Amino acid sequence: MPVSFLTAVQRESYGRFAVVPTPEEIARFCHLSDTDLALIAKLRGDHNRLGFALQLTTVRFLGVFLENPTTIPAAVLQTLLEQLCISSSACLEQYQEARQHRKHAAEIRTQYGYVEFSDPIAGFRLTRWLYALCWSGTERPSVLFERATTWLLTHKVLLPGASTLERFVAKLRSRVETRLWRVLGRGITAAQRTQLENLLVTP
């Protein structure tokens, strides 16, 4: 199976705001709970409070921390401004210059339990779950990629690069196929094997 199986659309939308989130998605991922607001309230300045909220909602929705947290849809930004009672998003320029987003990303990992893709426990759980899907189903690699992405988001595992996850899915699916063929061929007699091989002979 080729390692590169993602479509151009999948590769472009992976870990990015490829389209404007729906109102339902905004309500689900951009709502700040009392716990969120209490943590944000400890920060100094509107730029830090808004920047932290952007990082938090982005990792919830996309599974990644953006290098430039200011590149988000206007609907997401407006929702956060209203919840934080901040009148203007102009303060984001100061947040970007201060490079506080790296510090905030580390704090969000700690406070909310996000782990890297390389985490051994998360990797084992994903492998076991995806292996079961491959063994019992016939989904295309691109579908398995989407399902793996959803699993990572659900279990607070930061998304790796698209190529990294693509290779992971391809390798795991290949392992399952190899095992499947071994199981199928285990009970075949020599005579049956010969008959099957003869089917491959063309006139």
Side-chain angles (χ1 to χ4, degrees):
M1 182 188 68
V3 173
S4 180
F5 55 78
L6 293 181
T7 65
V9 174
Q10 283 180 308
R11 202 172 293 279
E12 281 296 318
S13 61
Y14 180 76
R16 301 176 185 174
F17 284 106
V19 296
V20 177
T22 64
E24 292 75 16
E25 289 173 333
I26 291 178
R28 178 182 177 185
F29 295 101
C30 299
H31 171 73
L32 299 175
S33 67
D34 291 341
T35 301
D36 299 334
L37 292 172
L39 187 61
I40 292 171
K42 298 178 182 178
L43 303 174
R44 291 185 176 181
D46 287 347
H47 63 292
N48 280 323
R49 287 189 283 272
L50 180 56
F52 188 97
L54 286 173
Q55 290 281 42
L56 179 58
T57 54
T58 296
V59 77
R60 283 174 175 170
F61 187 50
L62 301 180
V64 297
F65 293 106
L66 298 181
E67 285 297 322
N68 183 1
T70 63
T71 57
I72 63 167
V76 174
L77 180 58
Q78 185 59 37
T79 298
L80 295 178
L81 287 171
E82 292 174 358
Q83 293 181 84
L84 297 174
C85 299
I86 298 176
S87 59
S88 172
S89 62
C91 59
L92 279 180
E93 294 184 7
Q94 184 180 355
Y95 178 75
Q96 181 65 11
E97 292 174 359
R99 300 296 180 183
Q100 282 292 94
H101 55 280
R102 296 184 187 277
K103 178 181 177 181
H104 290 166
E107 186 174 356
I108 290 170
R109 286 193 189 96
T110 301
Q111 295 291 337
Y112 292 89
Y114 284 90
V115 298
E116 297 287 346
F117 182 73
S118 57
D119 180 81
I121 296 177
F124 172 77
R125 292 174 63 195
L126 174 60
T127 299
R128 184 175 60 179
W129 178 80
L130 197 59
Y131 194 101
L133 282 183
C134 293
W135 183 255
S136 60
T138 57
E139 285 92 349
R140 300 188 310 275
S142 58
V143 175
L144 292 173
F145 182 93
E146 295 290 350
R147 298 193 69 174
T149 301
T150 301
W151 188 96
L152 293 171
L153 288 171
T154 302
H155 293 83
K156 294 186 176 182
V157 181
L158 299 176
L159 297 187
S163 297
T164 298
L165 186 57
E166 191 176 27
R167 288 193 297 269
F168 177 86
V169 171
K171 183 178 180 180
L172 184 61
R173 192 167 185 267
S174 179
R175 282 173 52 193
V176 174
E177 288 179 343
T178 299
R179 181 190 172 195
L180 176 62
W181 288 118
R182 287 176 179 171
V183 170
L184 290 175
R186 190 174 298 161
I188 296 177
T189 64
Q192 290 173 326
R193 184 176 294 107
T194 300
Q195 290 177 339
L196 290 173
E197 291 175 349
N198 289 337
L199 294 176
L200 301 177
V201 178
T202 56

